[in-house]
Amino acid sequence: MKVPKITNRFCPYCNKKTKQKIKLVSTGAKRGTLTRGSISRAKSRGLGRGIGNKGKWGSKPAVSKFKRKTKTTKKTNFLYICEVCGKSKYQKKGKRAGKVLQE
Ligand SMILES: [Zn+2]
C-alpha cells in the first residue's frame, strides 16, 4: 500500500481544504485489557507482584506452534496533520495492508 506524504484534504478546524501531512500511527490495540479476569486488571489490583513464584499471574510458557499468530497483515492508522493550523485529525478505520510505504 502506497501512501503520499502530503495530501489536499478537508480540515474541520480551518473549514476548508488544506495541505496535510500523513503520519503513520501504531494501532496500539491490546486485546481484552478491560475484560473481567484479565491479567492487566489483576496486576492493577496488586496481584502478581513482588518476589517468588507468581503462579497464575507470573510469566507464561512459550506459545505452542498451533496457537501462534496467523495474521500476516495489519490494519493501518493515519494521522493527518494540517499545515495551516497544525491540528491533527485521526483516521480510525484502517485498511489491511502488509506494508505501508510513504512516497
Ligand atoms: Zn487546519
Side-chain angles (χ1 to χ4, degrees):
M1 189 178 174
K2 280 182 180 176
V3 176
K5 275 182 182 170
I6 295 167
T7 47
N8 223 18
R9 218 164 175 267
F10 178 79
C11 176
Y13 305 103
C14 303
N15 209 23
K16 63 182 177 186
K17 273 195 170 180
T18 53
K19 278 191 177 178
Q20 292 183 23
K21 273 186 195 169
I22 298 176
K23 205 181 171 190
L24 293 170
V25 195
S26 71
T27 49
K30 276 173 187 167
R31 285 172 64 204
T33 45
L34 290 173
T35 53
R36 194 163 182 272
S38 69
I39 293 165
S40 67
R41 269 182 62 164
K43 283 197 171 165
S44 64
R45 220 184 302 141
L47 294 169
R49 283 182 185 164
I51 40 170
N53 188 359
K54 279 142 198 109
K56 191 185 174 183
W57 311 111
S59 60
K60 293 263 162 68
V63 182
S64 71
K65 199 181 175 184
F66 301 104
K67 284 184 179 176
R68 238 167 258 169
K69 204 182 160 189
T70 53
K71 279 166 190 169
T72 52
T73 55
K74 273 184 176 181
K75 279 197 175 179
T76 53
N77 277 357
F78 298 126
L79 193 72
Y80 292 92
I81 303 159
C82 177
E83 285 194 339
V84 180
C85 62
K87 289 194 176 176
S88 56
K89 204 168 175 284
Y90 184 64
Q91 192 202 39
K92 249 190 176 177
K93 271 187 186 173
K95 284 182 178 174
R96 284 203 166 271
K99 215 174 196 181
V100 182
L101 287 169
Q102 277 201 316
E103 289 168 329

